[in-house]
Amino acid sequence: MEKFFEQERPKIIDTLEIASGNISLIHEMDRVATLEGKEINWGDAVVISDISQRDLVDEKTALSREAVREGKTPSKEMYVAFDNISMPFSDNSVKRIICRNFFSSFSDMSTNDGSQIDTEKVKKYRDEIYRVLVPGGYLFIHDTLSPKVSDQIFDEKLFNDRFDEVSVDATNDLNISVDFVSKIENKFGEKGDRGMRIFRKR
């Protein structure tokens, strides 16, 4: 799976998107920023990841076609497939992690009947995210499709022993506003009405 890195793996990752599926949140946020005449600085080393190599191919191909049509330079992102329970990165090597609908996934984060969160599984993912983030690094969570599970995670404060919640919107590290977040679309073209939760590693 790691062969998807297209260049030498950087020692420090500026932005890592996990569980992107075939529609990257980074690309969607860039789209909204462009419409507003803004640009988000994701850094020089950007990795877009998913457990499905096929979804990454679909996302990269779509982006490449758009870039060709619009005369853009080739995308600088690296694409890599891996399971988020064991990321191929060193400790303290990622500045920010961004994800959409990762913690709201009933199949990954809840019990078999979907009635409640699987606390131990959530903690494993949380601990792996904590491991790879640099001290003071940010975790951005944007859940729109099925937020019941993520709400349980936050209500039960499963992040509180490792992270501080620094904002209920998206105004910190990326300098984007609550209004900006409301314009982000999910894979069905729907705009979410939920803010972006931002956590900072202690």
Side-chain angles (χ1 to χ4, degrees):
M1 285 185 173
E2 294 177 31
K3 68 182 181 180
F4 249 70
F5 277 109
E6 297 179 344
Q7 52 190 288
E8 183 178 352
R9 187 181 311 181
K11 293 181 180 178
I12 295 292
I13 305 295
D14 292 300
T15 304
L16 167 64
E17 180 175 355
I18 59 175
S20 72
N22 61 356
I23 301 179
S24 163
L25 178 56
I26 286 176
H27 295 162
E28 169 60 13
M29 290 175 70
D30 280 343
R31 181 190 70 81
V32 175
T34 299
L35 292 175
E36 297 191 350
K38 301 176 182 177
E39 182 177 355
I40 298 174
N41 182 9
W42 299 106
D44 294 324
V46 180
V47 175
I48 295 175
S49 72
D50 193 81
I51 197 171
S52 166
Q53 186 166 308
R54 183 189 65 189
D55 280 349
L56 289 175
V57 170
D58 290 346
E59 167 66 19
K60 184 177 180 185
T61 301
L63 181 70
S64 299
R65 289 173 180 162
E66 179 185 351
V68 169
R69 283 198 305 268
E70 298 182 5
K72 296 179 181 177
T73 56
S75 174
K76 66 181 179 181
E77 292 96 353
M78 291 170 282
Y79 294 76
V80 60
F82 57 78
D83 187 344
N84 295 303
I85 206 70
S86 181
M87 299 188 200
F89 304 110
S90 304
D91 296 357
N92 307 314
S93 63
V94 180
K95 292 182 180 179
R96 69 174 68 87
I97 292 177
I98 187 167
C99 59
R100 172 168 55 184
N101 302 319
F102 176 59
F103 286 102
S104 65
S105 168
F106 276 103
S107 59
D108 288 340
M109 301 297 173
S110 67
T111 55
N112 290 336
D113 63 1
S115 62
Q116 59 185 356
I117 58 173
D118 185 331
T119 302
E120 293 308 309
K121 187 176 289 187
V122 170
K123 286 181 177 179
K124 286 180 181 178
Y125 284 111
R126 176 208 63 189
D127 290 347
E128 182 66 357
I129 288 170
Y130 182 87
R131 179 187 71 79
V132 301
L133 276 175
V134 300
Y138 290 100
L139 169 64
F140 294 79
I141 300 175
H142 188 228
D143 283 338
T144 58
L145 291 180
S146 180
K148 293 180 181 179
V149 172
S150 59
D151 282 346
Q152 289 182 54
I153 292 171
F154 302 138
D155 290 345
E156 295 189 20
K157 304 185 185 306
L158 295 184
F159 282 74
N160 288 30
D161 60 341
R162 300 290 180 95
F163 296 86
D164 294 313
E165 185 164 4
V166 294
S167 180
V168 294
D169 54 47
T171 59
N172 279 310
D173 185 43
L174 297 177
N175 289 320
I176 51 179
S177 65
V178 177
D179 182 59
F180 180 97
V181 174
S182 71
K183 298 174 184 177
I184 297 172
E185 296 180 357
N186 64 27
K187 65 182 181 179
F188 301 113
E190 302 166 338
K191 295 180 175 64
D193 58 357
R194 296 164 58 81
M196 186 174 286
R197 310 287 290 260
I198 304 175
F199 293 85
R200 183 171 55 215
K201 176 179 173 176
R202 291 195 187 119

